[in-house]
Structure formats: structure tokens, C-alpha cells
């Protein structure tokens, strides 16, 4: 499968109606790929991941040297879908100085004293950097939509908090992202699509394996009871905030190696498409370098 076609399988098209049911969390390769057999397929995926990580490391250097674009990677998902692991693997090859990760939890009192985009805006990546949002302003149309009491804490002006209210939030997000895109931020949004069965398996693994106990939180099981509400909130959010300039990628997440490989492929390809090269010096800059070299050599 060609990379571009592959990416298209997972990129949501703003002109088509979006339904989560059309996206299989258990996807593990096209028919031709599956004919390779699982072990062979996994080995190839690992190889691709390695190559893409190397490409990403190079791309990051060029991004940094150019100092024009920044890259914002947004990860959203149900609990245990693999956000942390994907971030860890995909960014394992890049220079830590060019990369910033922010994990967003429940907003603080100070954060609640501002509009919902404020805390995210303050943590955007600088030019030349890759910024990762482990959860993001999308929580404000996901968990906050599923739990209306969280919205009450946001101290908003009185008024109906129905469909129109959420439409306006999606609009604010679209406007914000369009603004960032126009000003040099490449935004890549990933929804890691895990199935309810696989989530249960992973929770049970957290409860059984002592090394994974720390990952377990009782709140996760409570949230699982709202599974359908979350799926519907994700579906609405993805449908309403997939735009031509900033689309969503819905990534199958029941197989960790699939998730990691696809995310690495998409990031490497999209950064490559920025068409950046090492900056070329002006004549004046070249002359200065030659001069500096002469002085050093003459010491
Ligand atoms: P974790 O990522 O597992 O540490 O959990 C972070 C928790 O913070 C999750 O339960 C999120 O739903 C919650 N959270 C993140 N952003 C918001 C937000 N804007 N409003 C309310 N809860 C949030
Ligand atoms: Mg958690």
C-alpha cells in the first residue's frame, strides 16, 4: 500500500458524513497485508516504524533550523486506548529539546477563571518545535459534554446549554485551529479508536499485572459506564471539527503496533509535505561564516 493511500484510509473527509461505526478498532492491515501472516506483518510494521522514526528525527532538525512552522500533535481517546504508549514510542527518536509534551487534567481554579481555550493556548509549541497535547481543548466538548456538572464549574454566562451552545464550541475550535494553521502550525489530530472489549481487557491487565497497577484508576471504570455517551460525543466532535485544513485521523487502536506505526507514518509524511529543507545562507551570511573561519584558523 502506498503511503498516501494508506493515510487516506484513516483521514476523515469533511465532505462525507462521519460515523464511528464505519471505523473498525480492530483493523490490522488490508487484505493483501494480512496475507503476509501476523508475524511477518508485525515485523514489517516494526521496520516501518523504525524507518519513520529516523525520518521524523531528521524532519525535526530541519523544522528547528527553519524556525517557521511548529507542529501540534493532539491525542484524544477513551482510557487505555494507548495515548501514553503511542506518544512514548513515536517520539522516542526525536531530540527532547525540540519537543514538548503537555497532559491536560481537570482544569484548576485559575484555568476556570478563563475561557476554555486559554490553558491550551498558553502551551502551544513555539516555531521550530513539536508540541504534543495528551488530551486537549477537545475535552471541553467530550468529558464536559458527557458530565454537565463540569460545565457548571466553568462559570459561563447564563443561557441554554443545548445544541446551539455545543455548535458554538465546535466553531470556536475550528476558528482557533484555522488561525493557528494560517500562522504556521501544522496540527495533526489523532483519535485512537479502541473497542469496548479491548478496553476491558486492558483494564483487567492493569488490575492483574503488579507492574501495571499504578495505571489503574477507579474513575476509569466509572467513565466506562458512560461509554455510549462518549462515543456519541466523539462522533459529534470529529464530524464537526474535521475541516479541509485540519482533519481528524481515526486510528484503529485494538492493536498497539498498528496504532504506533500508523501515527508515525502520518506524522513523518505530513512534516515531509511541509517541504522544508536546511536553510540556505544569503551571500552576506556566507561571507560572515568565511570570515569567522579565517579568524579561528588564524589564532
Ligand atoms: P489522565 O489523563 O488519565 O491522567 O486523566 C485526566 C483526567 O482529566 C481525565 O479524566 C479527563 O477527562 C480530565 N480532564 C481533562 N481535561 C478536562 C477538562 N477540560 N475538563 C474536565 N476534565 C478534564
Ligand atoms: Mg487515566
Amino acid at each position: 500500500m502506498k503511503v498516501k493511500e494508506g493515510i487516506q484510509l484513516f483521514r476523515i473527509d469533511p465532505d462525507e458524513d462521519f460515523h464511528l461505526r464505519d471505523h473498525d478498532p480492530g483493523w490490522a492491515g488490508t487484505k493483501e497485508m494480512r496475507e503476509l501472516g501476523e508475524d511477518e506483518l508485525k515485523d514489517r510494521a516494526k521496520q516501518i516504524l523504525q524507518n519513520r522514526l529516523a525520518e521524523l528525527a531528521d524532519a525535526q532538525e530541519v523544522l528547528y533550523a527553519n524556525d517557521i512552522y511548529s507542529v501540534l500533535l493532539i491525542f484524544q481517546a477513551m482510557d487505555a486506548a494507548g495515548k501514553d504508549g503511542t506518544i512514548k514510542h513515536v517520539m522516542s527518536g526525536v531530540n527532547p529539546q525540540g519537543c514538548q509534551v503537555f497532559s491536560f487534567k481537570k482544569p484548576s481554579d485559575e484555568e476556570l477563571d478563563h475561557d476554555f481555550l486559554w490553558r491550551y493556548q498558553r502551551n502551544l509549541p513555539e516555531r521550530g518545535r513539536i508540541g504534543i497535547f495528551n488530551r486537549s481543548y477537545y475535552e471541553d466538548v467530550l468529558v464536559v459534554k458527557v458530565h454537565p456538572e463540569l460545565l457548571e464549574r466553568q462559570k459561563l454566562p447564563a443561557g441554554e446549554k443545548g445544541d446551539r451552545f455545543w455548535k458554538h464550541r465546535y466553531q470556536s475550535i475550528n476558528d482557533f485551529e484555522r488561525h493557528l494553521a494560517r500562522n504556521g502550525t501544522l496540527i495533526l489530530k489523532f483519535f485512537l479508536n479502541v473497542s469496548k472489549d479491548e478496553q476491558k481487557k486492558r483494564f483487567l491487565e492493569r488490575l492483574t499485572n503488579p507492574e501495571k497497577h499504578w495505571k489503574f484508576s477507579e474513575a476509569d471504570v466509572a467513565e466506562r459506564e458512560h461509554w455510549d455517551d462518549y462515543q456519541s460525543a466523539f462522533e459529534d466532535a470529529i464530524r464537526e471539527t474535521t475541516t479541509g485544513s485540519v482533519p481528524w485521523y481515526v486510528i484503529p487502536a485494538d492493536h498497539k503496533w498498528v496504532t504506533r506505526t500508523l501515527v508515525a507514518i502520518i506524522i513523518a509524511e505530513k512534516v515531509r509535505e511541509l517541504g522544508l529543507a536546511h536553510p540556505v545562507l544569503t551571500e552576506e551570511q556566507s561571507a560572515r561564516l568565511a570570515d569567522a573561519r579565517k579568524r579561528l584558523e588564524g589564532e
Side-chain angles (χ1 to χ4, degrees):
M1 184 171 49
K2 298 256 175 353
V3 169
K4 278 208 165 61
E5 289 163 21
I7 291 181
Q8 255 172 20
L9 278 178
F10 306 101
R11 186 176 57 213
I12 305 310
D13 181 342
D15 299 327
E16 280 175 22
D17 201 10
F18 173 72
H19 295 284
L20 262 180
R21 61 167 184 268
D22 299 334
H23 296 261
D24 175 14
W27 187 92
T30 57
K31 193 163 156 287
E32 311 109 273
M33 285 161 74
R34 279 197 307 273
E35 279 162 8
L36 292 171
E38 186 163 1
D39 288 344
E40 169 86 18
L41 191 55
K42 265 192 185 178
D43 282 349
R44 288 227 193 151
K46 274 190 196 144
Q47 193 54 51
I48 294 174
L49 181 59
Q50 267 344 94
N51 295 345
R52 290 298 167 151
L53 293 187
E55 235 176 73
L56 196 58
D58 293 343
Q60 185 201 22
E61 245 185 67
V62 179
L63 192 74
Y64 195 85
N66 275 262
D67 206 17
I68 296 170
Y69 290 98
S70 55
V71 177
L72 176 62
L73 308 177
I74 294 181
F75 290 92
Q76 288 290 161
M78 296 299 287
D79 292 307
K83 293 195 289 347
D84 295 341
T86 303
I87 292 169
K88 179 173 139 186
H89 274 82
V90 172
M91 302 321 284
S92 59
V94 304
N95 178 350
Q97 294 210 68
C99 183
Q100 300 148 313
V101 186
F102 295 97
S103 298
F104 294 98
K105 314 278 175 193
K106 284 206 164 125
S108 67
D109 286 346
E110 188 194 15
E111 287 166 347
L112 288 170
D113 266 336
H114 295 271
D115 72 280
F116 80 97
L117 290 173
W118 182 76
R119 66 171 178 162
Y120 309 100
Q121 169 120 42
R122 301 175 85 208
N123 290 302
L124 289 169
E126 298 155 45
R127 291 188 203 284
R129 307 269 170 122
I130 299 178
I132 298 168
F133 281 4
N134 184 348
R135 303 183 188 272
S136 65
Y137 39 86
Y138 283 100
E139 291 293 328
D140 292 87
V141 292
L142 294 166
V143 68
V144 178
K145 197 176 184 192
V146 172
H147 296 285
E149 67 276 15
L150 294 176
L151 190 57
E152 274 166 37
R153 294 186 64 214
Q154 294 195 352
K155 305 196 223 175
L156 293 167
E160 280 289 319
K161 301 290 185 290
D163 287 351
R164 243 167 81 86
F165 172 84
W166 295 109
K167 272 253 178 245
H168 287 158
R169 275 218 164 168
Y170 300 132
Q171 255 173 38
S172 298
I173 290 176
N174 288 341
D175 290 344
F176 179 58
E177 291 186 345
R178 203 167 288 138
H179 164 76
L180 293 177
R182 283 193 190 118
N183 286 278
T185 304
L186 168 66
I187 306 174
L188 301 174
K189 315 189 274 197
F190 298 101
F191 170 56
L192 308 189
N193 186 23
V194 76
S195 66
K196 198 174 179 188
D197 284 347
E198 182 60 25
Q199 188 196 52
K200 181 173 169 183
K201 268 195 214 153
R202 293 184 189 175
F203 281 172
L204 286 172
E205 164 77 6
R206 289 177 181 186
L207 288 166
T208 325
N209 180 347
E211 279 175 22
K212 293 198 173 171
H213 283 350
W214 66 273
K215 279 194 180 180
F216 183 77
S217 145
E218 277 169 50
D220 292 349
V221 175
E223 286 315 284
R224 180 176 164 84
E225 285 167 17
H226 300 282
W227 181 274
D228 292 343
D229 293 339
Y230 271 107
Q231 294 290 298
S232 128
F234 270 113
E235 194 166 81
D236 290 347
I238 293 171
R239 182 185 294 132
E240 299 290 335
T241 62
T242 280
T243 59
S245 51
V246 192
W248 273 97
Y249 293 89
V250 172
I251 306 292
D254 280 2
H255 301 283
K256 291 178 179 174
W257 58 275
V258 171
T259 313
R260 290 166 190 173
T261 310
L262 290 176
V263 168
I265 289 177
I266 293 169
I267 301 172
E269 178 64 17
K270 289 288 146 187
V271 173
R272 200 184 60 77
E273 280 176 16
L274 290 175
L276 298 177
H278 277 287
V280 179
L281 298 184
T282 60
E283 265 179 43
E284 192 194 329
Q285 286 166 327
S286 300
R288 284 221 191 119
L289 290 195
D291 193 42
R293 188 169 154 176
K294 237 191 235 158
R295 279 160 58 186
L296 280 171
E297 284 170 351
E299 272 180 8

